[in-house]
Amino acid sequence: MPGYRTSDTRTTHQHMLERYSKATKRLFLLDYDVSSPSAFLFYGADSEQGTLSPIVKTPSMAVPSEDTLTALTLLSADPRNLVYIISGRDGAFLEQHLGHIRELGMSAEHGGSYARLVRSSGRTLLRAWT
């Protein structure tokens, strides 16, 4: 960011929170396996690794923690936020672990299929896979 040193994290986080609170529209594109923890820390999640799920040896065991699910639910519930999970995993895996979060969009198989959010008056009416 112009005017800020990257080592000055407190000022950078303050600036980010100020901009976030003033924004009327926000887009979050979060990779399932590699995401910045900043958005989750704002909502109280404990994701120090910077991922939506813990890093494990067996990929099928990489499922989001309750803290991460709560943070995603809160983040996506704000009508000013549009939140999408981007992943190389298949849609069935994403639906199994994240499908209960109604306001969450998903892109599976490296963009080969995606769950588009259909909204009206700031509320999600349905999530349609294409």
Side-chain angles (χ1 to χ4, degrees), residues 9 40 52 56 60-61 71 74 81 89 97 99 102 124:
T9 56
F40 302 110
L52 294 180
V56 294
S60 62
M61 304 276 298
L74 292 171
N81 295 342
R89 296 167 186 268
H97 298 291
R102 181 177 169 90
T124 298

Side-chain angles (χ1 to χ4, degrees), residues 11-58:
T11 304
T12 303
H13 284 139
Q14 285 175 323
H15 181 75
M16 181 180 73
L17 290 175
E18 287 170 12
R19 302 271 317 250
Y20 177 88
S21 63
K22 291 178 184 176
T24 58
K25 292 182 180 180
R26 308 171 190 127
L27 174 64
F28 292 87
L29 302 172
L30 306 170
D31 187 294
Y32 185 86
D33 291 304
V34 185
S35 288
S36 168
S38 298
F40 302 110
L41 294 176
F42 183 78
Y43 281 91
D46 185 21
S47 180
E48 293 178 12
Q49 293 179 329
T51 62
L52 294 180
S53 60
I55 298 172
V56 294
K57 289 183 181 183
T58 308

Side-chain angles (χ1 to χ4, degrees), residues 79-96:
R80 296 176 292 177
N81 295 342
L82 184 57
V83 182
Y84 270 80
I85 301 301
I86 301 168
S87 180
R89 296 167 186 268
D90 63 31
F93 181 91
L94 296 178
E95 279 291 342
Q96 178 184 357

